[in-house]
Amino acid sequence: MKACLKSDFETDLCLPAVDNSTMLRVGDKAACMACRNLVSTNMGVRFRVPLQKLHPLSRAIHHRYSGNGNPQRPPHRTAARYFTSLSRLPMRPPKPPPGSGGRGHQQKRNFWVASLAARLLKLRYILLGSAVGGGYTAKKTYEEWKDSLPDFSEYNWVIPDFVWELSEQIDLDKLAKALPEIEEIAKLLPDLDKIGENFTFLKSLLSSGVSLGSEVKGASGLHLLLETTGDPPLKATDSSAAASQDGSDKQYKKLKYQRMLERLEKENKELRKVVLQKDDKGIHQRKVKKSLIDLYSEVLDILSDYDANYNTQDHLPRVVVVGDQSAGKTSVLEMIAQARIFPRGSGEMMTRSPVKVTLSEGPHHVAMFKDSGREFDLTKEEDLAALRHEIELRMRKSVKAGQTVSCETISLSVKGPGIQRMVLVDLPGVISTVTAGMASDTKDTIFSISRAYMQNPNAIILCIQDGSVDAERSIVTDLVSQMDPQGKRTIFVLTKVDLAEKNLASPNRIQQIVEGKLFPMKALGYFAVVTGKGSSGESIDSIKDYEEDFFQNSRLLKDGMLKAHQVTTKNLSLAVSDCFWKMVRESVEQQADVFKASRFNLETEWKNNYPRLRELDRNELFEKAKNEILDEVISLSQVTPQHWEAILQKKLWERVSTHVIENIYLPAAQTMDSGTFNTTVDIKLKQWTDKQLPYKALEVAWETLQEEFARFMAEYKGKDQDDIFDKLKEAVKDESIKRHKWNERAMDSLRVIQHNALEDRSITDKPQWDAAIQFMEETLQSRLKDTDSVIRDMVGPGWRQRWLNWTNRTPDQHIRNETKNELERLLKLHDEHTAYLANDEVTTVRKNLEARSVEVDPVLIKDTWHQLYRRHFLQKALSHCNLCKRGFYYYQRHFVDSELECNDVVLFWRIQRMLVITGNTLRQQLTNTEVRRLEKNVKEVLDDFGEDQERKTHLITGRRVQLAEDLKKVREIQEKLEAFIEALHKEK
């Protein structure tokens, strides 16, 4: 249809793409019947284009079905078939309309109303379709945009949990409707802001005298508080009557307000605990930020590691708990920590080293050591027992042999609801006498530790005094008064006040103590506490109840001897915490500047002394040395097999050559025939192989491995090695060799291999024969040289040396020289003499020497004979060896009909073959097994050394190492302090 309607000329032609209702305008007359049939009548098509203006393809279709008067013009069938699919359609001539006679035109009808309605209806469908399509497209676009957004469900933890709970439990519609009623009810409620201000004033009223130890004045605040809580206010006309009341009524009112405050604080504590527990649920979902007190505690831990002797430059605040032994220091600290965490004993010393306790608030009551990941649940008795046992073990471990106390600090953190944030250090109790079982310097050591901690100008001294003993027996008060004479950072605590009240005849003595009038020391504040009835099984809650009951009923408080803010450990902990943080805020920035200056000085020293070296601390240097040592061990595997075998053969022959010459060859050579010689050799070789040879071979292999290992380490040392590692490498080498044990299972197989090698006597060719003769000559010449040297030492210098060097023989050398001359004459007379002298021959020699006035002992004669005969035997063996160079032909004939017998050459060939096979076997075991085992041992030794900080400190020393260590620590301390100061400013 498109091909038919599309013209090469620009005709007024419109082809519908989708809708059949599109109008197609053409000329007045129809092109042809085929085209009219193709376009239905309901499409409203009108043909107004002449036939000549139609496309040739349309004209071809027209001429096929129209009555053409020109029969000589063929229709364009080919074009229709090749260019359109209409040729495949069944085309029939259209039926003429009735009444038209077959040739007429359809009459024009004017239906403009129907046409307009139809167009409007079609417009509705267009709008409906557009709306549906647009909606679908918008929905699809929204879904694609929604899918492209990230999943925010993982960030629901940002919104607090109570928001979700409120949304689930509160009906907001009902709440909106009830707002007017709520406003009316709110008008009837008291002013909560006013009550809160009065509550804050009451709290400050009862605790204001804690740090200053002064009276509390606040009548207007009390009047306002009574007014808001419903109590009748004090009238102006009754002021004289109120002033005339006795002290007991005032104390009663203070106790009443104290109980009210405690009740409100208890409720506040419970609410805080709930909030913390709610917050604790999402801890695993977000990064936990360290608390302020934890950051500060980390700084103190680093300082403790930096200088175990408590560097005097470290002036960061701590709360130092000091007191006489069994004064109740530990009990006070446990009351502040709200848990029985320390080991207990009756009268004996339990605190043997300083214990740093970091207290902070948390949802759960737990304790944890600095170097351990285990949490001890302080609400469970079994965890408390385990914690006390662990503290006791750490204390005993820190104490060195022969000592009673230690300077090493044990770091512990305790968290729980309502715990005041601070850092306390519990020190060993001060003693007056050293008892049995203690080191002689225990008293002085405790004093030095206490002074070291208290001399810090920013340390808060918590002086604990036992109230149940006479004040004159106190030792710690004099010590504290020496360290803080003005009392600007000392808080005095009187313990066991219940026992003091019961035992003292005059309660005014307690009043004098807490007012600072009895002891010569001064203090920032004075407190009286009760830490239990003396039973180790009491719980913290029962001790608190007992303490509150005691002070409520005590006449010390009723009679005005003690003030309400001076009693209970709760008030004490609040006061100590306030003083601690006040001291921290005042001094921490100054200490940060001190460490900054120290860092600058250390960095300047490093740049001047080691400008081209990196700042490697002890651990980093150890890792560098560790890599170098492992590289040296690995280089052992690069040794060639020929090198291993040559060294093993040489060392093994040096080890066994004396035994072969003295115990095998020399005895066998004394025989008369070759058969006896071979039999003697076989027997002695078998005995030697079964008992000694394998052990000697393994010793040689082990020593060779050690020497090669040491050689490689020495060669590596010349390649720009740092001399600082020499001590460490030597220790690693010695320890590795000490731990290495040869695989003894190889002993049996080596014995069999050596036995088989020595049994073979078959020399197959002339080169093997020549090699055996050469080996024999070298061995005999070496032995002959050694023997000549021994004889020269025995007889002293000859006449030429005496004349040239102006030396003389000693009397013993003169006797040996005469003995040697006499024995040489004997050997000349008996050239085939045996290896041993007979008794009559010894007597003859001795008498001949006596005839020349030479007194000689028979033992000396035999000893000299042994060396002379060895030389004589070796000289004869060398001569025989030269004769045997041409004896291979006789050997092949088994020395038949020959006077030349070279069985000694065969013996040395057997020894030489055994050395070759043994060297090959040991080399295989070395390269396949022992080198790897040595490498494993070296790694284990390095790992052990790496975990032993004391050994690393001993092996890697020098100013360079110490300077790098100080730089690392000072930088770490400075960074921690800066982080703490930043957090401290944010908290403000």
Side-chain angles (χ1 to χ4, degrees):
M1 183 66 188
K2 292 180 182 180
C4 178
L5 297 179
K6 196 171 184 180
S7 175
D8 292 333
F9 305 99
E10 293 183 358
T11 59
D12 186 13
L13 189 64
C14 295
L15 181 64
V18 178
D19 198 343
N20 291 333
S21 63
T22 305
M23 299 302 294
L24 180 65
R25 292 181 176 86
V26 293
D28 292 336
K29 295 184 179 181
C32 62
M33 294 298 296
C35 294
R36 182 175 296 179
N37 268 336
L38 290 174
V39 181
S40 60
T41 57
N42 58 1
M43 295 174 59
V45 179
R46 289 176 295 176
F47 296 91
R48 296 178 182 175
V49 182
L51 180 63
Q52 291 78 10
K53 292 184 179 182
L54 289 177
H55 193 273
L57 182 60
S58 300
R59 291 200 300 267
I61 299 172
H62 167 76
H63 286 293
R64 183 178 179 182
Y65 292 101
S66 63
N68 192 0
N70 190 2
Q72 297 184 0
R73 188 176 181 179
H76 296 275
R77 299 177 183 176
T78 305
R81 288 180 181 177
Y82 288 160
F83 296 99
T84 181
S85 61
L86 295 177
S87 60
R88 300 176 182 270
L89 298 176
M91 295 187 178
R92 299 187 302 272
K95 295 181 180 181
S100 63
R103 292 288 180 180
H105 294 280
Q106 184 178 0
Q107 296 180 1
K108 295 182 180 180
R109 298 179 183 180
N110 193 2
F111 297 101
W112 62 271
V113 177
S115 175
L116 179 61
R119 291 190 181 189
L120 292 176
L121 291 175
K122 292 173 185 176
L123 180 62
R124 178 189 63 183
Y125 289 122
I126 291 173
L127 293 175
L128 180 62
S130 300
V132 172
Y136 174 75
T137 304
K139 181 181 180 182
K140 187 174 181 181
T141 304
Y142 169 73
E143 290 178 352
E144 292 177 354
W145 173 78
K146 184 179 178 181
D147 293 339
S148 64
L149 291 176
D151 188 7
F152 291 98
S153 60
E154 299 180 358
Y155 302 94
N156 289 339
W157 58 268
V158 177
I159 302 176
D161 295 339
F162 70 88
V163 175
W164 305 109
E165 295 175 0
L166 287 174
S167 63
E168 295 176 359
Q169 299 177 4
I170 298 177
D171 192 346
L172 298 179
D173 296 335
K174 293 182 179 180
L175 184 63
K177 295 177 181 179
L179 281 177
E181 300 177 4
I182 294 174
E183 292 176 357
E184 295 295 331
I185 296 172
K187 293 178 182 179
L188 302 176
L189 294 176
D191 191 353
L192 298 178
D193 294 336
K194 191 174 183 181
I195 294 176
E197 292 174 1
N198 294 328
F199 174 76
T200 305
F201 173 76
L202 177 60
K203 183 176 179 180
S204 61
L205 175 68
L206 296 175
S207 61
S208 60
V210 169
S211 59
L212 300 176
S214 60
E215 293 289 341
V216 179
K217 296 182 180 180
S220 60
L222 289 173
H223 176 80
L224 184 59
L225 178 65
L226 293 173
E227 189 178 53
T228 56
T229 54
D231 293 342
L234 296 175
K235 297 180 181 179
T237 57
D238 298 336
S239 60
S240 61
S244 63
Q245 291 180 354
D246 56 4
S248 61
D249 294 338
K250 293 181 180 179
Q251 294 297 331
Y252 175 75
K253 288 183 179 181
K254 289 183 179 180
L255 284 176
K256 179 181 178 181
Y257 300 144
Q258 178 74 16
R259 287 196 295 270
M260 185 186 302
L261 178 63
E262 290 177 355
R263 178 175 57 82
L264 293 175
E265 287 186 346
K266 186 175 182 182
E267 294 176 358
N268 184 31
K269 176 182 176 181
E270 294 297 329
L271 290 174
R272 288 178 63 85
K273 183 176 180 181
V274 172
V275 172
L276 288 171
Q277 288 177 346
K278 287 285 186 181
D279 184 68
D280 190 53
K281 293 180 181 178
I283 283 180
H284 65 281
Q285 297 178 355
R286 57 184 179 271
K287 184 177 180 181
V288 181
K289 293 185 178 179
K290 293 182 179 179
S291 65
L292 196 63
I293 192 65
D294 290 335
L295 291 173
Y296 186 75
S297 179
E298 286 183 357
V299 175
L300 297 182
D301 288 337
I302 299 172
L303 285 172
S304 178
D305 296 337
Y306 175 61
D307 190 354
N309 295 323
Y310 196 84
N311 195 337
T312 55
Q313 293 182 354
D314 173 21
H315 293 161
L316 292 175
R318 300 148 166 95
V319 180
V320 181
V321 185
V322 295
D324 297 336
Q325 184 176 340
S326 302
K329 298 186 295 73
T330 302
S331 299
V332 171
L333 204 155
E334 287 179 338
M335 290 293 291
I336 296 175
Q338 301 180 14
R340 307 297 293 267
I341 59 178
F342 290 102
R344 316 192 69 79
S346 57
E348 60 178 326
M349 179 181 292
M350 298 305 298
T351 305
R352 298 179 177 270
S353 64
V355 181
K356 182 178 74 69
V357 183
T358 303
L359 301 178
S360 60
E361 193 171 14
H364 305 291
H365 204 184
V366 296
M368 181 186 297
F369 289 100
K370 177 189 70 172
D371 55 353
S372 174
R374 179 185 176 184
E375 280 191 352
F376 296 88
D377 190 350
L378 301 183
T379 60
K380 299 179 181 179
E381 186 58 37
E382 56 271 18
D383 280 18
L384 279 171
L387 178 61
R388 290 192 290 265
H389 181 66
E390 180 68 20
I391 292 176
E392 185 175 1
L393 288 179
R394 287 173 180 257
M395 285 184 180
R396 295 187 181 277
K397 184 179 180 181
S398 65
V399 177
K400 298 180 180 179
Q403 299 294 321
T404 307
V405 293
S406 170
C407 300
E408 184 178 344
T409 304
I410 299 174
S411 182
L412 178 70
S413 62
V414 177
K415 297 182 180 182
I419 296 180
Q420 299 299 319
R421 302 179 303 168
M422 67 185 93
V423 178
L424 302 100
V425 181
D426 186 21
L427 300 180
V430 179
I431 61 175
S432 59
T433 305
V434 177
T435 59
M438 292 185 179
S440 59
D441 62 343
T442 301
K443 179 181 176 181
D444 297 334
T445 304
I446 293 175
F447 269 86
S448 64
I449 294 174
S450 301
R451 287 194 183 96
Y453 275 90
M454 288 190 295
Q455 70 183 2
N456 179 1
N458 296 321
I460 299 171
I461 303 172
L462 196 61
C463 180
I464 309 298
Q465 173 63 37
D466 189 352
S468 63
V469 299
D470 296 335
E472 291 76 11
R473 296 169 56 186
S474 176
I475 307 172
V476 71
T477 52
D478 294 337
L479 180 62
V480 172
S481 62
Q482 294 174 9
M483 305 308 298
D484 184 24
Q486 301 299 324
K488 294 182 179 181
R489 52 190 180 90
T490 301
I491 296 177
F492 182 86
V493 181
L494 185 67
T495 62
K496 305 178 184 180
V497 181
D498 54 341
L499 299 178
E501 184 185 29
K502 186 185 302 183
N503 298 333
L504 290 178
S506 176
N508 294 330
R509 194 172 178 85
I510 298 178
Q511 184 178 6
Q512 292 178 348
I513 294 175
V514 296
E515 289 179 354
K517 298 178 180 179
L518 186 62
F519 291 107
M521 61 170 288
K522 298 179 181 180
L524 195 65
Y526 296 84
F527 288 87
V529 298
V530 175
T531 56
K533 301 178 182 179
S535 175
S536 60
E538 290 181 287
S539 64
I540 296 296
D541 292 335
S542 63
I543 295 175
K544 285 183 178 180
D545 295 339
Y546 173 73
E547 184 183 38
E548 292 177 0
D549 293 340
F550 168 77
F551 284 115
Q552 287 178 6
N553 302 320
S554 174
R555 59 195 181 101
L556 296 173
L557 206 60
K558 291 180 179 180
D559 295 344
M561 298 180 186
L562 295 177
K563 300 177 178 59
H565 67 272
Q566 289 182 308
V567 297
T568 71
T569 53
K570 184 172 185 61
N571 290 334
L572 171 64
S573 63
L574 289 171
V576 174
S577 178
D578 291 341
C579 292
F580 170 76
W581 285 107
K582 180 182 178 183
M583 190 73 74
V584 167
R585 289 185 174 90
E586 292 175 353
S587 62
V588 67
E589 293 188 1
Q590 180 182 359
Q591 294 304 307
D593 294 338
V594 171
F595 283 106
K596 187 181 296 184
S598 177
R599 173 179 176 178
F600 176 78
N601 295 335
L602 293 174
E603 288 178 345
T604 304
E605 182 181 354
W606 182 275
K607 290 178 182 178
N608 293 333
N609 296 327
Y610 313 102
R612 297 186 179 182
L613 295 177
R614 289 190 299 142
E615 299 170 4
L616 299 179
D617 60 9
R618 185 171 282 106
N619 292 330
E620 292 170 338
L621 287 172
F622 179 81
E623 292 298 323
K624 182 180 178 181
K626 179 179 179 180
N627 294 331
E628 290 185 5
I629 293 172
L630 292 177
D631 291 342
E632 295 165 9
V633 176
I634 292 175
S635 62
L636 280 174
S637 60
Q638 301 175 359
V639 179
T640 61
Q642 294 80 6
H643 181 75
W644 280 119
E645 293 180 8
I647 294 177
L648 290 169
Q649 292 176 26
K650 180 180 178 181
K651 289 185 174 298
L652 181 59
W653 178 238
E654 290 176 356
R655 185 67 58 86
V656 302
S657 60
T658 302
H659 180 83
V660 171
I661 298 298
E662 299 293 335
N663 298 333
I664 298 176
Y665 180 46
L666 190 58
Q670 305 301 315
T671 58
M672 302 303 296
D673 52 37
S674 61
T676 308
F677 179 89
N678 292 330
T679 303
T680 305
V681 167
D682 291 341
I683 293 173
K684 292 187 175 294
L685 287 177
K686 180 68 168 58
Q687 294 175 352
W688 183 45
T689 307
D690 292 339
K691 296 180 180 180
Q692 298 181 12
L693 182 58
Y695 296 98
K696 295 289 184 181
L698 292 184
E699 288 178 3
V700 167
W702 176 221
E703 292 175 3
T704 303
L705 180 61
Q706 296 179 34
E707 293 175 1
E708 288 298 302
F709 181 39
R711 181 177 68 86
F712 272 98
M713 294 186 72
E715 290 179 356
Y716 197 88
K717 182 178 179 181
K719 300 177 181 178
D720 301 331
Q721 188 203 8
D722 200 337
D723 295 336
I724 204 170
F725 299 148
D726 293 347
K727 201 172 181 180
L728 174 63
K729 289 187 175 183
E730 190 68 23
V732 171
K733 183 191 73 173
D734 296 340
E735 184 66 22
S736 302
I737 292 173
K738 181 179 178 181
R739 294 187 185 184
H740 185 81
K741 294 182 179 179
W742 198 273
N743 187 5
E744 296 181 356
R745 292 182 297 177
M747 183 80 67
D748 297 333
S749 60
L750 182 62
R751 181 182 292 108
V752 173
I753 292 172
Q754 290 174 339
H755 180 72
N756 294 334
L758 290 172
E759 279 188 348
D760 189 8
R761 299 191 186 92
S762 57
I763 303 177
T764 57
D765 52 17
K766 186 70 165 56
Q768 292 182 359
W769 181 270
D770 295 339
I773 291 178
Q774 182 180 359
F775 175 62
M776 181 178 176
E777 283 183 341
E778 293 175 354
T779 303
L780 295 177
Q781 289 175 357
S782 175
R783 289 293 165 181
L784 182 59
K785 189 179 298 184
D786 295 339
T787 305
D788 289 338
S789 177
V790 172
I791 293 173
R792 281 196 300 270
D793 294 337
M794 289 173 59
V795 300
W799 65 269
R800 183 179 297 177
Q801 292 178 349
R802 290 198 303 272
W803 279 98
L804 294 176
N805 299 331
W806 292 84
T807 57
N808 292 319
R809 291 181 177 140
T810 63
D812 182 66
Q813 290 176 344
H814 177 72
I815 294 173
R816 286 187 176 273
N817 183 57
E818 295 295 331
T819 306
K820 178 183 76 74
N821 295 333
E822 187 67 26
L823 293 174
E824 283 179 346
R825 286 194 290 268
L826 178 62
L827 279 175
K828 288 180 180 179
L829 295 175
H830 304 281
D831 187 61
E832 298 296 333
H833 200 286
T834 61
Y836 303 99
L837 284 176
N839 293 330
D840 55 348
E841 292 176 330
V842 173
T843 303
T844 303
V845 171
R846 185 169 60 86
K847 288 182 177 181
N848 293 337
L849 292 173
E850 289 177 352
R852 295 198 297 269
S853 301
V854 177
E855 296 291 335
V856 63
D857 186 71
V859 177
L860 187 144
I861 295 174
K862 291 181 180 180
D863 186 30
T864 307
W865 169 257
H866 176 71
Q867 298 299 330
L868 291 175
Y869 183 80
R870 274 183 54 132
R871 184 176 66 179
H872 175 73
F873 172 79
L874 292 172
Q875 291 173 349
K876 288 182 61 178
L878 279 172
S879 301
H880 182 70
C881 183
N882 291 327
L883 295 175
C884 289
K885 289 181 179 179
R886 300 183 298 273
F888 180 68
Y889 172 75
Y890 300 103
Y891 166 75
Q892 287 181 327
R893 296 180 57 187
H894 304 287
F895 302 110
V896 177
D897 298 333
S898 173
E899 295 180 357
L900 182 62
E901 294 182 357
C902 298
N903 294 304
D904 47 359
V905 177
V906 178
L907 170 62
F908 278 91
W909 180 82
R910 294 166 68 181
I911 297 295
Q912 186 184 32
R913 187 168 182 272
M914 182 273 300
L915 293 174
V916 172
I917 295 175
T918 302
N920 182 270
T921 304
L922 294 176
R923 187 266 306 168
Q924 293 181 10
Q925 187 174 358
L926 279 172
T927 55
N928 297 335
T929 306
E930 301 304 327
V931 171
R932 296 179 182 177
R933 292 180 66 236
L934 178 61
E935 182 179 355
K936 182 180 178 181
N937 289 338
V938 171
K939 290 181 179 179
E940 292 177 354
V941 170
L942 288 171
D943 292 340
D944 293 343
F945 283 9
E947 296 175 358
D948 192 345
Q949 191 65 32
E950 184 177 354
R951 179 170 286 184
K952 282 197 296 186
T953 305
H954 175 69
L955 295 176
I956 304 178
T957 57
R959 177 56 187 166
R960 169 185 156 194
V961 183
Q962 191 60 43
L963 186 59
E965 287 280 314
D966 294 344
L967 264 173
K968 179 182 177 182
K969 289 294 183 182
V970 169
R971 284 171 179 163
E972 188 177 7
I973 292 169
Q974 183 186 357
E975 292 173 0
K976 295 288 185 182
L977 276 175
E978 290 176 354
F980 171 74
I981 293 172
E982 182 180 357
L984 189 66
H985 290 165
K986 289 181 179 179
E987 190 179 68
K988 290 181 180 180

